[in-house]
Amino acid sequence: GDLVSPASFQQSLCKTRNSSIVRQRKKFQTGALVHVGTYGTYDPYSRETVKNEESLVVQSSLSEVPIEVRTPAHIDSNSTPSWYRYNDNQFPQINPEDWPQQTLLFRPSPGSGIRVKGIRFVHSKEYLWKEGDMHTWVQSLYKHWGKSYDGGLGDDSFQECMILPINNGNELKGETIVVDFVSPIFEGTIQVRLRHTNGTTKLPYNDNEGYFKGLNRRYQVVVQGRPLKELSLRNLVTGFQLNHSLGKLPPKWITKGALRLINFFTPQLKTQLDGPKPKCISPLGSTPQMIRVNGDLDMEPKQEEPSTAEQSILGIASTASTTFGRAKTRKKNFDKLYTDSCSRIPSLSPSNVYTFEFLQHLVDFTSFSIELGSMLGSIPLKELLDGQPLQIMAMHDITDEKLWSFDVWHKELIGDAKRHDGNISNA
């Protein structure tokens, strides 16, 4: 029978340094996304709220403790909050030597409509950085460690580019850093872990401890949140969609072998690597290694595919004894529905909180290459991407509206990005 779903910025240069910040308190009975598990209908950063309220206290839907959120007292044409404005530059306008996490930089995708609300420890209600703060999350992190940050970037540069944290899995319990964000159709939190990175732990990365110890994977992304309207999973996809053509493609036999390998994990993968807008997308309902509806909202530990019908995206209990087995069953069942145009596909509901986990082992962020094993070898990403970042993205495939969209830049990409930007300017 039919399966029914479970119970139904990028910010530009901040020039508000002299704007007055008020801290008067008001109570609201509805909640907003302020910490793990608190997803309500009230948005303290909406245009209407900022226009009408000088300050506010967000009353959590899961907690009785009010959380103060500072907002600018007045909005005018000369002091527009940076979450309203978007920088047209498609690549970070900051020297890679000044990037706080060495060779990598993580930020919202320009033009995607992603607005960053704040950056915090995963279990904390207090932000390391939030809109209106005159310091960076890195400075707050160093202060937490009892150190001072002597990097070359101030808060203006951070906010112009909206530099976000990349965890490495060595963080102390409770100190994994997450980012609260809102998009045109989704409100949530993202947690990114990349192997062999530095910048979010007091000591250099150690591969013999922490999240990645003993694992083959190099990448973990957890996104948790709720849609702002009912969204059918038939129309939701994840992957990448680039702005211009790829650079040097590997030989065809390697490309075909790589796609065959990826197709093994995501059978419904759709690729278009040639042409002006390359893309590689697959269904959001089957691609993640884990999807959970409500249930445990802790993003920090290793995630597990649920076994109960109430927490399953398909509303079906699983008898598989391992999280891998349960995920495999869900992927197979969802793809069967997805390929049948007459089947009823579950929807994401604003009344639920969803957790998605994405894992992969192919991209080596140290060598910045795709590692395909002894037979297919390695594909350098610099020549392939031609000045374009790797994406962490989910979107509506008809409207192109983004649930989330973030870019991971490597310093090797910047030269080609500048060249391509110059070619467009001179065209």
Side-chain angles (χ1 to χ4, degrees):
D2 290 340
L3 297 175
V4 183
S5 63
S8 279
F9 109 0
Q10 155 84 328
Q11 303 179 13
S12 61
L13 186 61
C14 178
K15 297 182 179 179
T16 59
R17 192 177 295 273
N18 296 321
S19 298
S20 60
I21 304 296
V22 297
R23 300 174 182 263
Q24 301 172 12
R25 292 174 155 264
K26 280 190 177 181
K27 282 192 175 182
F28 292 85
Q29 298 306 312
T30 51
L33 171 63
V34 290
H35 64 92
V36 172
T38 307
Y39 300 88
T41 56
Y42 182 79
D43 182 3
Y45 294 97
S46 70
R47 289 179 181 268
E48 194 64 29
T49 299
V50 172
K51 178 180 178 181
N52 295 330
E53 304 297 339
E54 289 189 335
S55 63
L56 52 93
V57 170
V58 179
Q59 186 71 32
S60 163
S61 60
L62 299 183
S63 169
E64 296 304 315
V65 180
I67 309 299
E68 184 175 15
V69 180
R70 296 184 301 160
T71 60
H74 300 288
I75 306 298
D76 59 44
S77 58
N78 296 318
S79 181
T80 305
S82 56
W83 60 77
Y84 291 165
R85 297 173 307 177
Y86 293 90
N87 193 313
D88 290 333
N89 293 312
Q90 293 298 312
F91 65 93
Q93 303 293 298
I94 294 173
N95 190 326
E97 293 180 1
D98 293 328
W99 292 2
Q101 297 198 254
Q102 300 177 349
T103 59
L104 299 177
L105 186 145
F106 177 48
R107 70 168 187 170
S109 305
S112 63
I114 304 299
R115 192 175 78 228
V116 173
K117 288 183 169 185
I119 300 168
R120 58 179 171 81
F121 289 135
V122 63
H123 297 151
S124 177
K125 301 175 184 178
E126 302 296 324
Y127 281 121
L128 296 169
W129 176 90
K130 63 180 180 295
E131 180 62 41
D133 284 349
M134 299 305 172
H135 60 265
T136 70
W137 63 265
V138 176
Q139 290 170 330
S140 294
L141 185 61
Y142 273 62
K143 183 178 180 180
H144 174 74
W145 294 338
K147 301 170 65 177
S148 60
Y149 175 63
D150 56 0
L153 296 181
D155 61 291
D156 280 352
S157 295
F158 266 72
Q159 294 183 57
E160 176 185 11
C161 188
M162 200 59 259
I163 302 173
L164 305 176
I166 301 170
N167 300 281
N168 61 24
N170 281 179
E171 291 78 17
L172 297 176
K173 185 176 181 180
E175 294 191 6
T176 301
I177 306 176
V178 299
V179 177
D180 293 335
F181 70 93
V182 65
S183 78
I185 56 175
F186 191 86
E187 176 185 38
T189 302
I190 186 169
Q191 169 188 290
V192 175
R193 285 180 172 130
L194 301 182
R195 199 167 196 155
H196 295 293
T197 58
N198 283 289
T200 56
T201 52
K202 199 171 183 179
L203 299 175
Y205 176 74
N206 183 350
D207 206 35
N208 295 315
E209 62 182 46
Y211 172 80
F212 288 107
K213 180 182 178 181
L215 299 176
N216 187 40
R217 69 194 63 152
R218 296 184 171 103
Y219 164 114
Q220 185 218 29
V221 171
V222 180
V223 178
Q224 183 178 95
R226 64 177 184 88
L228 301 182
K229 58 184 178 182
E230 194 88 12
L231 296 172
S232 172
L233 279 166
R234 185 177 292 283
N235 302 120
L236 302 182
V237 295
T238 183
F240 69 80
Q241 184 174 263
L242 301 181
N243 292 320
H244 64 78
S245 59
L246 291 169
K248 181 182 178 182
L249 289 169
K252 286 187 177 181
W253 69 273
I254 294 181
T255 302
K256 288 181 179 179
L259 291 176
R260 216 169 8 247
L261 176 63
I262 298 171
N263 264 298
F264 176 79
F265 298 103
T266 53
Q268 300 305 315
L269 183 73
K270 296 178 181 178
T271 59
Q272 182 182 332
L273 298 184
D274 52 355
K277 298 281 185 179
K279 65 179 180 179
C280 185
I281 58 175
S282 55
L284 184 61
S286 57
T287 304
Q289 186 59 33
M290 189 281 303
I291 303 178
R292 186 172 56 248
V293 185
N294 300 320
D296 184 3
L297 299 179
D298 192 349
M299 301 170 67
E300 189 173 45
K302 292 178 181 178
Q303 302 294 306
E304 292 205 352
E305 183 80 11
S307 58
T308 65
E310 293 77 18
Q311 295 181 23
S312 166
I313 193 68
L314 295 177
I316 302 175
S318 174
T319 57
S321 59
T322 66
T323 182
F324 175 80
R326 295 190 292 273
K328 185 178 180 180
T329 300
R330 184 250 308 161
K331 289 168 179 276
K332 182 178 180 180
N333 289 340
F334 184 89
D335 282 344
K336 185 176 180 181
L337 293 173
Y338 187 77
T339 54
D340 181 358
S341 60
C342 297
S343 66
R344 185 174 178 181
I345 294 281
S347 293
L348 301 186
S349 167
S351 62
N352 291 325
V353 176
Y354 300 87
T355 306
F356 305 87
E357 181 189 42
F358 301 86
L359 306 172
Q360 64 95 347
H361 64 283
L362 298 177
V363 177
D364 186 333
F365 288 90
T366 303
S367 61
F368 202 53
S369 61
I370 300 176
E371 300 301 321
L372 299 172
S374 57
M375 183 171 292
L376 296 175
S378 177
I379 300 176
L381 282 169
K382 177 183 182 297
E383 290 78 9
L384 178 65
L385 293 172
D386 192 29
Q388 299 176 95
L390 294 170
Q391 288 182 332
I392 300 172
M393 184 273 289
M395 70 179 212
H396 194 287
D397 68 352
I398 296 176
T399 67
D400 274 354
E401 290 177 300
K402 304 298 190 292
L403 284 82
W404 56 84
S405 186
F406 297 88
D407 297 339
V408 180
W409 284 87
H410 191 282
K411 67 176 184 179
E412 290 186 356
L413 297 169
I414 298 302
D416 290 330
K418 289 180 178 179
R419 173 182 51 78
H420 182 77
D421 190 63
N423 290 341
I424 292 176
S425 299
N426 296 327

